[in-house]
Amino acid sequence: MASSTTQYTTKQWILASKPTAAPVLSGPDATFKLQTVTLPPLKEGQLLGKVRYFSNDTGLRNFIQSTVAPERFYVPTVPVGSPMRSGIIAEVIESASPDFKAGDLVLDFHLGTWSELVILDAATSQRLAPLPNNLPLTHYLGAFGASGLAAYTGLVYAGGAKAGDTIVISAAAGATGSVAIQIALKLLGAKRVIGIAGSDEKCAWVRDQLGAHACVNYKSPTFVEDLKAATPDEVDVYFDNVGGHVLDAMLTRVKRHGTIAVCGCVSSYNSGEPMSLHNWFEVISNRITIRGFIMLDYMDKAPGILKDLIGAAADGRLKLDDGQTVVEGRIEEQPEIWMRLFSGGNQGKLLTKLIV
């Protein structure tokens, strides 16, 4: 198809400065800057999309500043002066690809931008198909997207989790953790599944709605004692989303020759201080395997995994009710909405429904 010569303007957030701790949302040292830019004409194989939803993920914090050198990072980072990236769902309004037409809804896992209009490569864009039981298509950014794939691949491939295991999952009320709880229970047949979350209300949801056998509030003054009581037979696999003092406590609960699958380290993302672990010798004494993973390493398995997850939702094993927090907001509000992740302002997946 011929490429377009039409030009469009859009509001777009760019990275103005790299934060050393929590991102700054206003003032002269603000991390992000809103600007209006003119998009280049579409080239062959590109799509112009109107953003409908932004995916809000804690991992985006590492896109803008990390202790990992850019050449060692698992995806391209966001340089200062470049648009902030995220996963998006967009409606195609113009196509220079024979595979897409205006009106199609498409997804990009992590190469979308915080913009009202975006240019996407057709080759990396996924057309969204209807979901069973009239489930919202926004689940493609959560349970049937990067969050669900991370939950599954972390448990099965990085963690080696299997039927009969005792499994603990931190950030259990978050986008990845809430799906991991249910995969462990309903798809893998774990013997005992324990969640860790940041409030009694979230723990009640993890336990009563998602089905965990127990859930421990890591903000409780008795967290260490509560964790020990919830894991009387110790733990085969720990799915770690948070690092910090939760990981430190879990080092004392993982069985000899047990495994820790490391998905994230959210407790340290906005801290300028190094992470402290008092119980590190547990790794040596108990021969614990710690394995980091990125779900992108398993994209060849993604179609089969997503088929299983969508099937589990269709037959009721995977419960997605109340598994999304959707916030309507204008483009001007996007950085603040994203930052709610770091204060626990979400249950399940946090999404921005963009209002233009």
Side-chain angles (χ1 to χ4, degrees):
M1 296 182 67
S3 60
S4 170
T5 58
T6 305
Q7 288 190 310
Y8 296 84
T9 60
T10 184
K11 293 179 181 178
Q12 180 181 84
W13 284 100
I14 65 165
L15 180 63
S17 65
K18 290 184 176 292
T20 55
V24 178
L25 297 184
S26 61
D29 299 321
T31 301
F32 305 106
K33 177 183 178 182
L34 187 64
Q35 60 181 18
T36 299
V37 300
T38 299
L39 296 175
L42 287 188
K43 297 177 181 178
E44 193 74 29
Q46 290 185 325
L47 312 172
L48 178 70
K50 178 187 293 184
V51 174
R52 295 301 192 190
Y53 294 91
F54 293 123
S55 176
N56 296 299
D57 302 283
T58 55
L60 299 180
R61 174 61 179 78
N62 293 301
F63 285 22
I64 61 177
Q65 183 271 329
S66 174
T67 57
V68 180
E71 65 272 15
R72 288 174 55 85
F73 206 72
Y74 64 95
V75 291
T77 55
V78 178
V80 170
S82 296
M84 180 59 184
R85 292 208 321 271
S86 75
I88 62 167
I89 289 175
E91 178 185 349
V92 176
I93 58 176
E94 191 171 315
S95 173
S97 164
D99 300 323
F100 294 89
K101 64 183 187 301
D104 286 343
L105 287 178
V106 297
L107 170 144
D108 194 292
F109 274 137
H110 66 91
L111 294 175
T113 57
W114 282 0
S115 309
E116 293 178 323
L117 299 176
V118 293
I119 292 177
L120 300 171
D121 289 329
T124 57
S125 298
Q126 174 187 339
R127 182 187 286 104
L128 300 186
L131 289 168
N133 304 335
N134 293 315
L135 285 169
L137 295 180
T138 46
H139 286 301
Y140 280 113
L141 287 173
F144 307 140
S147 303
L149 288 171
Y152 191 99
T153 58
L155 284 170
V156 174
Y157 299 116
K162 59 189 183 302
D165 279 352
T166 296
I167 299 172
V168 174
I169 297 158
S170 58
T176 299
S178 61
V179 179
I181 289 281
Q182 298 183 79
I183 290 171
L185 283 164
K186 303 296 178 60
L187 274 68
L188 300 184
K191 175 184 176 183
R192 183 168 171 81
V193 179
I194 301 98
I196 299 174
S199 71
D200 290 342
E201 292 75 17
K202 287 185 176 181
C203 272
W205 180 64
V206 169
R207 187 179 58 247
D208 301 339
Q209 300 301 316
L210 303 186
H213 296 93
C215 186
V216 183
N217 182 352
Y218 72 85
K219 294 181 181 177
S220 168
T222 58
F223 166 61
V224 172
E225 293 84 356
D226 296 342
L227 181 63
K228 186 174 182 179
T231 56
D233 299 322
E234 298 188 323
V235 176
D236 297 285
V237 178
Y238 169 47
F239 189 108
D240 185 28
N241 285 303
V242 299
H245 84 280
V246 174
L247 170 60
D248 203 32
M250 278 304 307
L251 288 173
T252 70
R253 304 309 303 152
V254 175
K255 288 180 181 177
R256 185 159 292 179
H257 303 293
T259 301
I260 299 174
V262 183
C263 182
C265 191
V266 68
S267 69
S268 68
Y269 291 166
N270 289 327
S271 172
E273 300 299 319
M275 185 171 71
S276 175
L277 295 174
H278 298 285
N279 296 315
W280 187 244
F281 199 79
E282 292 274 356
V283 177
I284 301 162
S285 184
N286 288 297
R287 285 80 103 192
I288 296 170
T289 297
I290 300 178
R291 181 176 292 114
F293 73 96
I294 302 295
M295 67 91 184
L296 294 171
D297 295 339
Y298 305 98
M299 290 307 289
D300 61 317
K301 297 178 173 61
I305 294 170
L306 294 178
K307 182 180 178 181
D308 286 348
L309 293 177
I310 292 171
D315 66 23
R317 286 174 295 157
L318 185 62
K319 296 181 179 179
L320 300 179
D321 298 337
D322 304 320
Q324 294 185 133
T325 301
V326 180
V327 179
E328 293 189 0
R330 302 179 66 83
I331 189 68
E332 290 82 359
E333 301 171 84
Q334 175 54 19
E336 183 275 324
I337 294 172
W338 172 63
M339 283 293 292
R340 296 182 193 182
L341 286 169
F342 300 99
S343 57
N346 63 294
Q347 178 174 285
K349 181 75 183 186
L350 178 63
L351 300 162
T352 303
K353 182 178 182 180
L354 185 61
I355 304 300
V356 179

